[in-house]
Structures are given as structure tokens and as C-alpha cells.
Amino acid sequence: MSKRTEDETEAARKRPELQKARFQEIQEALQMARQKQQKDVEAEKELDLIYRDEAERLWRKREAEWAAEQAARAKLLQAVLNERAQQVDEKLSRLEVAKRENMEEREKAIREMQILRMEAEAEELEKEEVKVARAV
């Protein structure tokens, strides 16, 4: 046999082994690609979970901020209402004092008028008595 025929025979004999080895390599590459794809899917799920957790955390934080702001507004409103109520109470107290003072002044004026009227009547009575005493 010639060298060439021997080489061809040898190549023909090794061909199934090479094909089997290539097939095995392809199977391994496919298996690695499937594993990588599965890892990528798992990594994507994990990232989705992380994003969802982060979004929930941020939402809870935002809700807490809103609640704090609402509480601050309510506290401020209550402080304003309390201050206004105090101002109204003080004004009512001042008005009561002024009303009482006016009433006292009115009563004093009435008493003074009564005293003046009584004095005028007494003077008039005295003048009448003097007239009657002179006439007698």
C-alpha cells in the first residue's frame, strides 16, 4: 500500500473518533451555554428582586417622609389654632374688663346724678323753707 492510502485509511479510521470528539465538544459547549443562560436568568431574577426590594424601600421611605410632613403640618396648624384661641380668649377677657368698667362708671354716674338731684332738691326745699320763714 502506498503512503497515501495508508494515510487515508488511518484518517478514515480516526474520522469517527474525531467526529465523536467534536460532537462531545459541541455537547459540552451547548451544556455550558445552557448553564450560562440559566445563570443569566437567575441573575436577572435576582436583579429584579433587588430592584423590587429597593423600590419598596424607597416607597416606604417616601411614605414615611409624607407622614412626617403631614404630622408637621398638623402640629403647625394646631399651634396656630391654639395661638388664635389664646388671642380670642385674651380679647374676650379685655372686653369683659372694659364692660365691667363701663358698668361701674355708669353706676357711679347714676349715683352722682342721684346725689346731685338730692342736693338740688334739698337746696330747693331749703329755699322754700327760707321763703316760707320770711313770709311768716
Side-chain angles (χ1 to χ4, degrees):
M1 259 203 241
S2 74
K3 174 87 173 148
R4 188 170 173 202
T5 321
E6 283 179 25
D7 287 341
E8 287 176 7
T9 306
E10 183 67 24
R13 189 177 54 82
K14 288 185 178 180
R15 192 172 297 141
E17 290 175 15
L18 287 174
Q19 285 178 345
K20 187 176 180 181
R22 282 191 179 170
F23 182 76
Q24 185 65 31
E25 287 175 7
I26 291 171
Q27 289 294 349
E28 289 173 4
L30 283 173
Q31 181 63 29
M32 287 174 58
R34 286 186 193 116
Q35 287 175 350
K36 181 168 181 352
Q37 184 179 17
Q38 182 62 32
K39 283 182 182 180
D40 289 347
V41 166
E42 289 172 9
E44 188 174 331
K45 285 180 183 178
E46 189 174 329
L47 278 176
D48 285 346
L49 182 61
I50 289 170
Y51 287 138
R52 195 173 319 118
D53 288 346
E54 181 66 11
E56 287 176 12
R57 185 188 68 79
L58 288 174
W59 185 255
R60 284 190 305 271
K61 180 181 175 185
R62 192 169 294 137
E63 284 180 330
E65 288 171 354
W66 290 337
E69 289 170 0
Q70 178 62 32
R73 283 191 298 274
K75 185 178 178 181
L76 178 60
L77 178 61
Q78 190 59 49
V80 168
L81 291 175
N82 289 343
E83 178 67 25
R84 187 65 183 132
Q86 183 179 356
Q87 290 171 353
V88 168
D89 287 344
E90 289 172 359
K91 186 171 184 176
L92 285 174
S93 294
R94 287 193 305 270
L95 288 173
E96 279 295 319
V97 168
K99 182 178 176 182
R100 209 174 316 117
E101 288 174 354
N102 285 340
M103 186 66 89
E104 288 172 2
E105 287 177 17
R106 183 173 179 253
E107 288 172 359
K108 182 181 175 184
I110 290 171
R111 281 192 307 270
E112 288 176 358
M113 285 175 56
Q114 287 174 343
I115 290 171
L116 287 173
R117 190 176 312 130
M118 287 172 52
E119 287 175 354
E121 286 175 5
E123 260 183 51
E124 200 56 43
L125 189 62
E126 205 175 294
K127 284 182 186 177
E128 282 294 319
E129 287 177 2
V130 169
K131 260 189 194 181
V132 170
R134 281 191 192 164
V136 175

